[in-house]
Structures are given as C-alpha cells and as structure tokens.
Amino acid sequence: MTYDYEEIVEQQADITGLLLHHVYAPLIDNQHARGVLPAPHPTDAVRVVLGDKDEYAPDQLSAYEIPLRTGDELRTPHDVVSLLRTVHTGTHICPRNKVGTVMGMALFTVEPTTVTPAPFTNDDWTLTLLRCLASPSTEESPQARLCGFLFLAPDRLRLYVDSDEEDLPGITAADVRPGGALTALLAALTSLLDEQRLTTTDTDDPHCARVVDLTDW
C-alpha cells in the first residue's frame, strides 16, 4: 500500500465516522446520509449518498463525489460536510459533463473551486467537541477500518472495510443484516473478510474489490 493511498483511506474512515451521525440527524433539510462510498482507486475522492430518511431506492438517492486533495493538503471531514450542504441546496448548478450514474444513483462530481462552503453551525462544533471527549482518538488503527457504508434494503447494509491483510488488497464490501447478532459479527468481522465461499469479485459495485455476503452469518 502506497503512502498516498494510505492517506486517502485514513481520511475516508474519518469522513465516514463523522457522517454516521447524519444517518439519523439530517445533514440539510430532510436529507440524511444514506451511504459513504470509497471512490474507485486511483480517484482521490469520497462519494457521499444523500436521500430521505429510510430511503433505499437508488433512483431516489443522490451521490456526490468530492475530491479529497487540495494542493498538498487533504480536505477534512468538516470540509466535506460544508461542501455537501452547499451543493445539495439546489442553488448550485452542476455542469452536465459532471453528472452521471453509479449503481442506479445519480452521481454529481463536485468541483470545489466553484462552491462556497456552507458555514458550520454551533451544533456541528458542539458535536465535534463531545465526540472528541467521549471517543478520544488512538494511534493504533483497527485491523478492519470502516471506510464507508450503503443502505441497500431495510434488512441489508453494505460495509466498506479496509483490511491490513496482505491477501486482501483494496476495499472489501461486507453485506450484513443490521438486526442480526451484531456483537458476534463485529468480533469476527476481520476473520470473515477472506471467507472464499462467501466472496464474489464479479460485482457491479465499483467502490470495492470484492463483496462478502455475511447476511446469513
């Protein structure tokens, strides 16, 4: 794994951590985070999926691709949230050549130089402060970092995980049932990522190298 790629994966994990809050709390108006997708390598970007709460239909969701590099620096999770709040208001016009589709969702490629980021609110900063106090950062990275997620159906959630195992390069997508035996699943997740009988590499998801079906685990 190159240093540049490791930087992007680490930032992706931090962005995912921040946006988890917006699964329940709207990011803007009635729009919630319905997914965070690792943009296909070597694109140094993150894709955030927004939609109504409890929405699963791809044609009712919007994905925004935001580049993470800005000169020699990386955009922070707060930067990404600020840009999303601007581009999803409807006042920002995205050029036709920046609009596409991915996995049945509309995909908008954001050009940050044309966007005025929305200011952070007091609640945003308060949440940041409280999270830092409640869950202080650690220098030790987990064996399997959560780099994204996507709601596929009421009983199916896709987790995008980066593993430090050499035989699992790239991002692994693990499909799980949110209402299952979560404690046992989380404890065994790292060891289950290389279960060949549950794995397929023939997938229409460009955000991962393989998909592991753990819905019956």
Side-chain angles (χ1 to χ4, degrees):
M1 180 183 293
T2 66
Y3 175 73
D4 285 348
Y5 178 67
E6 170 63 21
E7 269 192 316
I8 294 298
V9 173
E10 185 174 337
Q11 200 71 347
Q12 175 85 34
D14 288 345
I15 292 167
T16 299
L18 178 62
L19 286 173
L20 288 178
H21 169 71
H22 293 291
V23 169
Y24 292 101
L27 182 72
I28 182 171
D29 297 331
N30 64 342
Q31 295 296 286
H32 295 250
R34 302 303 292 162
V36 181
L37 307 170
H41 186 66
T43 305
D44 293 338
V46 62
R47 292 174 174 175
V48 180
V49 180
L50 299 181
D52 292 342
K53 190 176 185 298
D54 298 328
E55 183 61 74
Y56 298 93
D59 62 354
Q60 298 299 310
L61 301 173
S62 299
Y64 296 89
E65 180 175 304
I66 298 176
L68 291 179
R69 293 202 182 278
T70 171
D72 294 330
E73 303 295 327
L74 291 178
R75 287 189 169 82
T76 68
H78 293 161
D79 293 336
V80 170
V81 167
S82 294
L83 290 168
L84 284 169
R85 282 183 170 146
T86 296
V87 298
H88 199 73
T89 59
T91 58
H92 176 76
I93 299 175
C94 193
R96 181 168 304 194
N97 64 347
K98 297 293 185 179
V99 181
T101 60
V102 63
M103 300 173 69
M105 299 177 285
L107 173 63
F108 302 90
T109 301
V110 178
E111 176 47 66
T113 59
T114 67
V115 179
T116 301
F120 246 48
T121 66
N122 286 336
D123 282 352
D124 289 326
W125 292 120
T126 300
L127 173 64
T128 299
L129 172 62
L130 295 176
R131 287 179 63 130
C132 288
L133 292 172
S135 303
S137 61
T138 174
E139 293 298 321
E140 184 177 348
S141 299
Q143 287 183 299
R145 287 180 296 192
L146 179 65
C147 294
F149 64 94
L150 181 64
F151 290 95
L152 298 176
D155 62 346
R156 196 178 188 95
L157 177 68
R158 177 160 293 180
L159 306 176
Y160 294 90
V161 180
D162 166 64
S163 172
D164 58 7
E165 297 292 333
E166 292 185 0
D167 59 346
L168 289 175
I171 297 292
T172 299
D175 286 356
V176 302
R177 293 191 186 281
L182 290 184
T183 301
L185 174 62
L186 291 173
L189 182 60
T190 302
S191 62
L192 292 171
L193 294 180
D194 61 356
E195 282 282 348
Q196 295 300 316
R197 63 186 179 82
L198 303 175
T199 302
T200 178
T201 55
D202 183 17
T203 171
D204 61 357
D205 187 341
H207 308 99
C208 59
R210 65 196 67 81
V211 176
V212 183
D213 187 353
L214 302 180
T215 54
D216 292 327
W217 190 82

